[in-house]
Amino acid sequence: MAKKDKSEKKAPAKRRWYHNFADAYRITKRSYPAIGWILLAATVLGTALVVGLGLWVKMNIIFLVILSISTAALIPMIILAALVKKAMYRQIEGTMGAVYGVVSQIKRGWTVEEQPIAANTHRDLVWRLIGRPGVVLITEGPTNRVKDLVNKERKLAQRVVTNVPVHVLHVGQDDGQIRLEDLEKALRKLPKTLRSNEVPLVVNRLQALAAKQAAPIPKGIDPSRAKISRRALRGR
């Protein structure tokens, strides 16, 4: 049998759960430096509570040991799951493409465009999502500076998809803007006015428009760089 070509690329190693745990811990520690002590204290207290309760109800010792170990392993995962996304959003807040870092995590209910639909020389961006609430335009940049840019896109959308609501969300750290970590919550609060079978129709009409005219992206802005790298977030 002929030997396999040494130059053949090896398949990437499968990521284990502890790799994901380490990544989550690394990301969270950047925003919450005391996370190690928090996890330790919560694990010790939670496990002690389970052991104390088990002894009080005279639980079978073998079952109690298994339950205690499971609790000790589960508590850090629950805490990290609650904090890692918030920590990640805080770390990318204010960088170009931060909005895409949030909306790209949405799994269901929305059509997320991978490129900003408008930008200016100040590197302010406008992103577009389409879902049951209608068309949502999300801005990055100071509200007063991005106002004309987003108003132009809103009027264009209203002409193309008549009677479909067009919402505008301003993301940033200034007064009246939505913090990046609260963007998902703001999207969930929008009223659902379209039926599920109407959403693809809206998507098709807006994509047909985009195919006819290129988005006004000024020179010096590479749309592909207006995205947040997950590898960069893991510190790699």
Side-chain angles (χ1 to χ4, degrees):
M1 181 182 293
K3 293 183 177 179
K4 292 184 178 180
D5 186 358
K6 293 183 179 180
S7 63
E8 184 181 351
K9 292 183 179 180
K10 295 182 179 179
K14 183 178 180 181
R15 288 183 62 81
R16 306 294 182 181
W17 67 268
Y18 47 83
H19 293 145
N20 296 329
F21 183 88
D23 286 341
Y25 179 83
R26 190 181 300 113
I27 292 170
T28 306
K29 189 173 177 62
R30 295 175 194 164
S31 296
Y32 303 95
I35 187 61
W37 292 107
I38 293 173
L39 294 179
L40 179 61
T43 302
V44 170
L45 290 175
T47 305
L49 181 62
V50 169
V51 171
L53 184 61
L55 293 175
W56 183 59
V57 300
K58 298 180 180 179
M59 186 181 297
N60 180 278
I61 189 62
I62 296 177
F63 181 73
L64 179 58
V65 170
I66 295 174
L67 183 60
S68 300
I69 294 174
S70 300
T71 301
L74 190 61
I75 288 177
M77 294 182 184
I78 293 175
I79 295 175
L80 281 181
L83 293 179
V84 64
K85 186 177 288 189
K86 193 170 186 178
M88 180 179 69
Y89 292 162
R90 287 186 178 184
Q91 290 159 31
I92 65 176
E93 190 170 35
T95 62
M96 187 174 68
V99 164
Y100 184 79
V102 175
V103 298
S104 63
Q105 303 297 313
I106 300 175
K107 303 300 182 183
R108 296 180 57 187
W110 294 93
T111 295
V112 179
E113 301 194 24
E114 294 186 356
Q115 306 292 351
I117 61 170
N120 58 25
T121 54
H122 297 288
R123 295 179 178 267
D124 302 325
L125 304 174
V126 178
W127 301 86
R128 183 168 61 204
L129 282 73
I130 305 166
R132 290 193 60 195
V135 179
V136 182
L137 303 178
I138 306 176
T139 70
E140 288 187 39
T143 303
N144 60 341
R145 201 169 65 193
V146 79
K147 184 178 179 181
D148 292 339
L149 194 66
V150 73
N151 283 343
K152 179 181 177 181
E153 294 300 325
R154 175 168 57 185
K155 291 177 182 177
L156 181 60
Q158 288 172 335
R159 286 200 303 267
V160 175
V161 285
T162 311
N163 299 326
V164 174
V166 179
H167 308 274
V168 176
L169 300 179
H170 297 284
V171 172
Q173 303 176 51
D174 298 334
D175 291 339
Q177 292 186 315
I178 299 170
R179 293 295 298 266
L180 190 67
E181 62 189 72
D182 297 325
L183 178 56
E184 270 190 272
K185 186 189 298 182
L187 289 171
R188 287 196 299 268
K189 287 183 178 180
L190 293 175
K192 294 179 175 61
T193 57
L194 299 179
R195 294 190 295 269
S196 298
N197 61 342
E198 293 176 326
V199 175
L201 300 177
V202 177
V203 173
N204 291 339
R205 295 197 66 176
L206 289 174
Q207 287 181 345
L209 174 68
K212 292 180 180 179
Q213 66 175 59
I217 304 299
K219 292 182 179 180
I221 294 182
D222 181 359
S224 65
R225 296 186 63 186
K227 298 179 185 179
I228 301 299
S229 168
R230 295 184 187 181
R231 178 171 292 183
L233 281 170
R234 294 198 295 265
R236 297 183 179 182

Coordinates of all heavy atoms in Angstrom, one line a residue, residues 20-94:
N20 N -13.4 24.8 25.2 CA -14.4 25.8 25.2 C -14.5 26.5 26.6 O -14.6 27.7 26.7 CB -15.8 25.3 24.9 CG -15.8 24.7 23.4 OD1 -15.1 25.2 22.6 ND2 -16.6 23.7 23.2
F21 N -14.3 25.7 27.6 CA -14.3 26.2 29.0 C -13.1 27.2 29.2 O -13.3 28.3 29.8 CB -14.2 25.1 30.0 CG -14.3 25.5 31.5 CD1 -15.5 25.7 32.1 CD2 -13.1 25.8 32.2 CE1 -15.6 26.1 33.4 CE2 -13.2 26.2 33.5 CZ -14.4 26.3 34.1
A22 N -12.0 26.8 28.7 CA -10.8 27.6 28.9 C -10.9 28.9 28.1 O -10.5 30.0 28.6 CB -9.5 26.9 28.4
D23 N -11.5 28.8 26.9 CA -11.7 30.1 26.1 C -12.7 31.0 26.8 O -12.5 32.2 26.9 CB -12.3 29.7 24.7 CG -11.2 29.1 23.8 OD1 -10.0 29.3 24.1 OD2 -11.6 28.5 22.8
A24 N -13.8 30.4 27.4 CA -14.8 31.2 28.1 C -14.2 31.9 29.3 O -14.4 33.0 29.6 CB -16.0 30.3 28.5
Y25 N -13.3 31.1 30.0 CA -12.7 31.7 31.2 C -11.7 32.8 30.8 O -11.7 33.9 31.5 CB -11.9 30.6 31.9 CG -11.2 31.0 33.2 CD1 -11.8 31.2 34.4 CD2 -9.8 31.4 33.1 CE1 -11.2 31.6 35.5 CE2 -9.2 31.9 34.2 CZ -9.8 32.0 35.4 OH -9.2 32.4 36.6
R26 N -11.0 32.6 29.7 CA -10.0 33.6 29.3 C -10.7 34.9 28.9 O -10.3 36.0 29.3 CB -9.2 33.1 28.1 CG -8.0 33.9 27.7 CD -7.3 33.3 26.6 NE -6.8 32.0 26.8 CZ -7.2 30.9 26.3 NH1 -8.2 30.9 25.4 NH2 -6.7 29.7 26.6
I27 N -11.8 34.8 28.2 CA -12.6 36.0 27.7 C -13.2 36.7 28.9 O -13.1 37.9 29.1 CB -13.7 35.6 26.8 CG1 -13.1 35.1 25.4 CG2 -14.6 36.7 26.5 CD1 -14.1 34.4 24.5
T28 N -13.8 35.9 29.8 CA -14.5 36.5 31.0 C -13.5 37.2 31.9 O -13.8 38.3 32.5 CB -15.2 35.4 31.8 OG1 -16.1 34.7 30.9 CG2 -16.1 36.0 32.9
K29 N -12.3 36.6 32.1 CA -11.3 37.2 33.0 C -10.8 38.6 32.6 O -10.5 39.4 33.4 CB -10.1 36.3 33.1 CG -9.1 36.6 34.2 CD -8.0 35.6 34.3 CE -7.0 36.0 35.4 NZ -7.6 36.2 36.7
R30 N -10.9 38.9 31.3 CA -10.5 40.2 30.8 C -11.4 41.3 31.4 O -11.0 42.4 31.7 CB -10.5 40.3 29.3 CG -9.5 39.4 28.6 CD -9.7 39.4 27.1 NE -9.0 38.4 26.4 CZ -9.3 38.0 25.2 NH1 -10.2 38.6 24.5 NH2 -8.6 37.0 24.6
S31 N -12.7 41.0 31.5 CA -13.7 42.0 32.0 C -13.9 41.8 33.5 O -14.3 42.8 34.2 CB -15.0 41.9 31.2 OG -14.8 42.2 29.9
Y32 N -13.8 40.6 34.0 CA -14.0 40.3 35.4 C -12.7 39.6 36.0 O -12.7 38.4 36.0 CB -15.2 39.4 35.6 CG -16.5 40.0 35.0 CD1 -16.9 39.6 33.7 CD2 -17.3 40.8 35.7 CE1 -18.1 40.1 33.2 CE2 -18.5 41.3 35.2 CZ -18.8 41.0 33.9 OH -20.0 41.5 33.4
P33 N -11.7 40.4 36.3 CA -10.4 39.8 36.8 C -10.6 38.9 38.0 O -9.8 38.0 38.2 CB -9.6 41.1 37.2 CG -10.2 42.2 36.4 CD -11.7 41.9 36.3
A34 N -11.6 39.1 38.8 CA -11.8 38.2 40.0 C -12.6 37.0 39.7 O -13.0 36.3 40.7 CB -12.5 39.0 41.1
I35 N -12.8 36.6 38.4 CA -13.7 35.5 38.1 C -13.2 34.2 38.7 O -14.0 33.3 39.1 CB -13.8 35.4 36.6 CG1 -14.8 34.3 36.2 CG2 -12.5 35.1 35.9 CD1 -16.2 34.6 36.7
G36 N -11.9 34.0 38.8 CA -11.3 32.8 39.4 C -11.8 32.6 40.8 O -12.2 31.5 41.2
W37 N -11.7 33.7 41.6 CA -12.2 33.6 43.0 C -13.7 33.5 43.1 O -14.2 32.8 44.0 CB -11.7 34.9 43.8 CG -10.2 35.0 44.0 CD1 -9.4 35.8 43.3 CD2 -9.5 34.2 44.8 NE1 -8.1 35.6 43.7 CE2 -8.1 34.6 44.7 CE3 -9.7 33.1 45.7 CZ2 -7.1 34.0 45.4 CZ3 -8.7 32.6 46.4 CH2 -7.4 33.0 46.3
I38 N -14.4 34.1 42.2 CA -15.9 34.0 42.2 C -16.3 32.5 41.9 O -17.1 32.0 42.6 CB -16.5 34.9 41.1 CG1 -16.2 36.4 41.5 CG2 -17.9 34.6 40.9 CD1 -16.6 37.4 40.4
L39 N -15.6 31.9 40.9 CA -15.9 30.5 40.6 C -15.6 29.6 41.8 O -16.4 28.7 42.1 CB -15.2 30.1 39.4 CG -15.5 30.7 38.0 CD1 -14.6 30.2 36.9 CD2 -17.0 30.6 37.7
L40 N -14.4 29.8 42.4 CA -14.0 29.0 43.5 C -15.0 29.1 44.7 O -15.4 28.1 45.3 CB -12.6 29.4 44.0 CG -12.0 28.6 45.2 CD1 -11.9 27.1 44.8 CD2 -10.7 29.2 45.6
A41 N -15.3 30.4 45.0 CA -16.3 30.6 46.2 C -17.6 30.0 45.9 O -18.2 29.3 46.8 CB -16.4 32.1 46.5
A42 N -18.1 30.2 44.7 CA -19.5 29.7 44.3 C -19.5 28.2 44.3 O -20.4 27.5 44.8 CB -19.9 30.2 43.0
T43 N -18.4 27.6 43.8 CA -18.3 26.1 43.8 C -18.2 25.5 45.2 O -18.9 24.5 45.5 CB -17.1 25.7 43.0 OG1 -17.2 26.2 41.7 CG2 -17.0 24.2 42.9
V44 N -17.4 26.1 46.0 CA -17.3 25.6 47.4 C -18.6 25.7 48.2 O -19.1 24.8 48.8 CB -16.1 26.3 48.2 CG1 -16.2 26.0 49.6 CG2 -14.8 26.0 47.5
L45 N -19.2 26.9 48.1 CA -20.5 27.1 48.8 C -21.6 26.2 48.3 O -22.4 25.7 49.0 CB -20.9 28.6 48.7 CG -20.0 29.6 49.5 CD1 -20.4 31.0 49.2 CD2 -20.0 29.3 51.0
G46 N -21.7 26.2 46.9 CA -22.7 25.3 46.3 C -22.6 23.9 46.7 O -23.6 23.2 47.0
T47 N -21.3 23.4 46.6 CA -21.1 22.0 46.9 C -21.3 21.7 48.4 O -21.9 20.6 48.8 CB -19.6 21.6 46.6 OG1 -19.4 21.9 45.2 CG2 -19.4 20.1 46.8
A48 N -20.9 22.6 49.3 CA -21.1 22.4 50.7 C -22.6 22.4 51.0 O -23.1 21.6 51.9 CB -20.5 23.6 51.5
L49 N -23.4 23.2 50.3 CA -24.8 23.3 50.5 C -25.5 21.9 50.1 O -26.3 21.4 50.8 CB -25.5 24.4 49.7 CG -27.0 24.6 49.9 CD1 -27.4 24.9 51.3 CD2 -27.5 25.7 48.9
V50 N -25.0 21.4 49.0 CA -25.5 20.1 48.5 C -25.2 19.0 49.5 O -26.0 18.1 49.9 CB -25.0 19.8 47.1 CG1 -25.3 18.3 46.8 CG2 -25.6 20.7 46.1
V51 N -23.9 19.0 50.0 CA -23.5 18.0 50.9 C -24.3 18.1 52.2 O -24.8 17.1 52.8 CB -22.0 18.1 51.2 CG1 -21.6 17.2 52.4 CG2 -21.2 17.7 50.0
G52 N -24.4 19.3 52.8 CA -25.2 19.5 54.0 C -26.6 19.1 53.9 O -27.2 18.4 54.8
L53 N -27.2 19.4 52.8 CA -28.6 19.0 52.5 C -28.7 17.5 52.4 O -29.7 16.9 52.9 CB -29.2 19.7 51.3 CG -30.6 19.5 50.9 CD1 -31.5 20.0 52.0 CD2 -31.0 20.1 49.6
G54 N -27.8 16.9 51.7 CA -27.8 15.4 51.6 C -27.6 14.7 52.9 O -28.3 13.7 53.1
L55 N -26.8 15.2 53.7 CA -26.6 14.6 55.0 C -27.8 14.8 55.9 O -28.2 13.9 56.7 CB -25.3 15.2 55.7 CG -24.0 14.8 55.1 CD1 -22.9 15.6 55.8 CD2 -23.7 13.3 55.1
W56 N -28.4 15.9 55.8 CA -29.6 16.2 56.6 C -30.8 15.3 56.2 O -31.5 14.8 57.1 CB -30.0 17.7 56.4 CG -31.2 18.1 57.2 CD1 -31.3 18.1 58.6 CD2 -32.4 18.6 56.8 NE1 -32.5 18.5 59.0 CE2 -33.2 18.9 57.9 CE3 -33.0 18.9 55.5 CZ2 -34.5 19.4 57.8 CZ3 -34.2 19.4 55.4 CH2 -35.0 19.6 56.6
V57 N -31.0 15.0 54.9 CA -32.0 14.1 54.5 C -31.6 12.6 54.5 O -32.3 11.8 54.1 CB -32.6 14.5 53.1 CG1 -33.1 15.9 53.2 CG2 -31.5 14.4 52.0
K58 N -30.3 12.4 55.0 CA -29.8 11.0 55.0 C -29.8 10.4 53.6 O -30.2 9.2 53.5 CB -30.6 10.2 56.0 CG -30.5 10.7 57.4 CD -31.3 9.9 58.4 CE -31.2 10.4 59.8 NZ -31.9 9.6 60.8
M59 N -29.2 11.1 52.7 CA -29.1 10.6 51.3 C -28.1 9.5 51.2 O -27.1 9.5 52.0 CB -28.7 11.8 50.4 CG -28.7 11.4 48.9 SD -28.2 12.9 47.9 CE -29.6 14.0 48.3
N60 N -28.3 8.6 50.3 CA -27.3 7.5 50.1 C -26.0 8.1 49.8 O -25.8 9.0 49.0 CB -27.8 6.6 48.9 CG -26.8 5.5 48.6 OD1 -25.8 5.7 48.0 ND2 -27.1 4.3 49.1
I61 N -24.9 7.6 50.5 CA -23.6 8.2 50.4 C -23.0 8.2 49.0 O -22.4 9.2 48.5 CB -22.6 7.5 51.4 CG1 -21.3 8.3 51.5 CG2 -22.4 6.1 51.0 CD1 -21.5 9.7 52.0
I62 N -23.3 7.1 48.3 CA -22.7 7.0 46.9 C -23.4 8.1 46.0 O -22.8 8.8 45.2 CB -22.9 5.6 46.3 CG1 -22.1 4.6 47.1 CG2 -22.5 5.6 44.8 CD1 -22.3 3.2 46.7
F63 N -24.7 8.2 46.1 CA -25.5 9.1 45.3 C -25.1 10.6 45.7 O -25.0 11.5 44.9 CB -27.0 8.9 45.5 CG -27.8 9.9 44.8 CD1 -27.9 9.7 43.4 CD2 -28.5 10.9 45.4 CE1 -28.7 10.6 42.6 CE2 -29.3 11.8 44.7 CZ -29.4 11.6 43.3
L64 N -24.8 10.8 47.0 CA -24.4 12.1 47.5 C -23.0 12.5 46.9 O -22.8 13.7 46.5 CB -24.3 12.1 49.0 CG -23.9 13.4 49.7 CD1 -24.8 14.6 49.2 CD2 -23.9 13.3 51.2
V65 N -22.1 11.5 46.8 CA -20.8 11.8 46.2 C -20.9 12.2 44.8 O -20.3 13.2 44.3 CB -19.8 10.6 46.4 CG1 -18.6 10.8 45.6 CG2 -19.5 10.4 47.9
I66 N -21.7 11.4 44.0 CA -21.9 11.7 42.6 C -22.6 13.1 42.4 O -22.2 13.9 41.6 CB -22.8 10.6 42.0 CG1 -22.1 9.3 42.0 CG2 -23.2 11.0 40.6 CD1 -22.9 8.1 41.5
L67 N -23.6 13.4 43.3 CA -24.3 14.7 43.2 C -23.4 15.8 43.5 O -23.4 16.9 42.8 CB -25.5 14.7 44.1 CG -26.4 15.9 44.1 CD1 -27.0 16.1 42.7 CD2 -27.5 15.8 45.1
S68 N -22.5 15.6 44.5 CA -21.6 16.7 44.9 C -20.6 17.0 43.7 O -20.3 18.1 43.5 CB -20.8 16.3 46.1 OG -21.7 16.1 47.2
I69 N -20.0 15.9 43.1 CA -19.1 16.1 42.0 C -19.8 16.8 40.9 O -19.2 17.7 40.2 CB -18.5 14.7 41.6 CG1 -17.7 14.1 42.7 CG2 -17.7 14.9 40.3 CD1 -17.2 12.7 42.5
S70 N -21.0 16.4 40.6 CA -21.7 17.0 39.5 C -22.0 18.5 39.7 O -21.8 19.3 38.8 CB -23.0 16.3 39.2 OG -22.8 14.9 38.9
T71 N -22.3 18.8 41.0 CA -22.6 20.2 41.4 C -21.3 21.0 41.2 O -21.3 22.1 40.7 CB -23.1 20.3 42.8 OG1 -24.3 19.5 42.9 CG2 -23.3 21.7 43.2
A72 N -20.2 20.5 41.7 CA -18.9 21.2 41.6 C -18.5 21.4 40.2 O -17.8 22.5 39.9 CB -17.8 20.4 42.4
A73 N -18.8 20.6 39.3 CA -18.5 20.7 37.9 C -19.5 21.7 37.1 O -19.1 22.4 36.2 CB -18.5 19.4 37.1
L74 N -20.7 21.7 37.6 CA -21.8 22.4 36.9 C -21.8 23.9 37.2 O -22.0 24.7 36.4 CB -23.1 21.8 37.2 CG -24.3 22.3 36.4 CD1 -24.1 22.0 34.9 CD2 -25.6 21.6 36.9
I75 N -21.5 24.2 38.5 CA -21.6 25.6 38.9 C -20.7 26.5 38.1 O -21.1 27.6 37.7 CB -21.3 25.7 40.5 CG1 -22.5 25.2 41.2 CG2 -21.0 27.2 40.9 CD1 -22.2 25.1 42.7
P76 N -19.4 26.2 37.9 CA -18.5 27.1 37.1 C -19.0 27.3 35.7 O -18.9 28.4 35.1 CB -17.1 26.4 37.1 CG -17.2 25.5 38.3 CD -18.6 25.1 38.5
M77 N -19.6 26.2 35.1 CA -20.1 26.3 33.8 C -21.3 27.3 33.7 O -21.4 28.1 32.7 CB -20.5 25.0 33.2 CG -19.3 24.0 33.1 SD -19.8 22.4 32.4 CE -18.2 21.5 32.4
I78 N -22.2 27.2 34.7 CA -23.4 28.1 34.7 C -22.9 29.5 34.8 O -23.5 30.4 34.1 CB -24.3 27.7 35.8 CG1 -24.9 26.3 35.6 CG2 -25.4 28.7 36.0 CD1 -25.7 25.7 36.7
I79 N -22.0 29.8 35.7 CA -21.6 31.2 35.9 C -20.9 31.7 34.7 O -21.1 32.9 34.3 CB -20.6 31.3 37.2 CG1 -21.4 30.9 38.4 CG2 -20.0 32.6 37.3 CD1 -20.5 30.8 39.7
L80 N -20.0 30.9 34.1 CA -19.3 31.4 32.9 C -20.3 31.6 31.7 O -20.1 32.6 31.0 CB -18.2 30.4 32.5 CG -16.9 30.4 33.2 CD1 -15.9 29.4 32.7 CD2 -16.3 31.8 33.2
A81 N -21.2 30.7 31.6 CA -22.2 30.9 30.5 C -23.0 32.2 30.7 O -23.4 32.8 29.7 CB -23.2 29.7 30.5
A82 N -23.2 32.6 32.0 CA -24.0 33.8 32.2 C -23.1 35.1 32.0 O -23.7 36.1 31.7 CB -24.5 33.8 33.6
L83 N -21.8 35.0 32.1 CA -20.9 36.1 32.1 C -20.1 36.3 30.8 O -19.8 37.4 30.4 CB -20.0 36.1 33.2 CG -20.6 36.3 34.6 CD1 -19.5 36.2 35.7 CD2 -21.3 37.6 34.7
V84 N -19.9 35.2 30.1 CA -18.9 35.2 29.0 C -19.4 36.1 27.8 O -18.7 36.9 27.2 CB -18.6 33.8 28.5 CG1 -19.8 33.1 27.9 CG2 -17.4 33.9 27.4
K85 N -20.7 36.0 27.5 CA -21.2 36.8 26.4 C -21.2 38.3 26.7 O -20.8 39.1 25.9 CB -22.6 36.4 26.0 CG -23.2 37.1 24.8 CD -24.6 36.6 24.4 CE -24.5 35.2 23.8 NZ -25.9 34.8 23.3
K86 N -21.6 38.6 28.0 CA -21.5 40.0 28.4 C -20.1 40.5 28.4 O -19.9 41.7 28.0 CB -22.1 40.1 29.8 CG -22.5 41.5 30.3 CD -23.3 41.4 31.6 CE -23.7 42.8 32.0 NZ -24.5 42.8 33.2
A87 N -19.2 39.7 28.8 CA -17.8 40.1 28.8 C -17.3 40.4 27.4 O -16.5 41.3 27.1 CB -16.9 39.1 29.6
M88 N -17.6 39.5 26.5 CA -17.2 39.6 25.1 C -17.7 40.8 24.5 O -16.9 41.6 23.8 CB -17.7 38.4 24.3 CG -17.3 38.4 22.9 SD -17.9 36.9 22.0 CE -19.7 37.3 22.0
Y89 N -19.0 41.2 24.7 CA -19.5 42.4 24.1 C -18.9 43.6 24.7 O -18.7 44.6 24.0 CB -21.1 42.4 24.4 CG -21.8 41.3 23.6 CD1 -23.1 41.0 23.9 CD2 -21.2 40.7 22.5 CE1 -23.8 40.0 23.2 CE2 -21.9 39.7 21.8 CZ -23.2 39.4 22.2 OH -23.8 38.4 21.5
R90 N -18.5 43.6 26.0 CA -17.9 44.8 26.6 C -16.5 45.0 26.0 O -16.1 46.1 25.8 CB -17.7 44.6 28.1 CG -19.0 44.7 28.9 CD -18.8 44.7 30.4 NE -20.1 44.9 31.1 CZ -20.2 45.0 32.4 NH1 -19.1 44.9 33.1 NH2 -21.3 45.2 33.0
Q91 N -15.8 43.9 25.6 CA -14.5 44.0 25.1 C -14.5 44.5 23.6 O -13.5 45.1 23.2 CB -13.8 42.6 25.2 CG -13.5 42.3 26.6 CD -13.2 40.8 26.8 OE1 -12.8 40.1 25.9 NE2 -13.5 40.3 28.0
I92 N -15.5 44.2 22.8 CA -15.5 44.7 21.4 C -16.3 46.0 21.3 O -16.3 46.5 20.2 CB -16.1 43.6 20.5 CG1 -17.6 43.3 20.8 CG2 -15.3 42.3 20.6 CD1 -18.3 42.3 19.9
E93 N -16.9 46.4 22.3 CA -17.7 47.7 22.2 C -16.8 48.8 21.8 O -15.7 49.0 22.3 CB -18.4 48.0 23.6 CG -19.4 49.1 23.5 CD -20.2 49.2 24.8 OE1 -19.6 49.0 25.9 OE2 -21.4 49.5 24.8
G94 N -17.3 49.6 20.8 CA -16.6 50.7 20.3 C -15.7 50.4 19.2 O -15.1 51.4 18.6

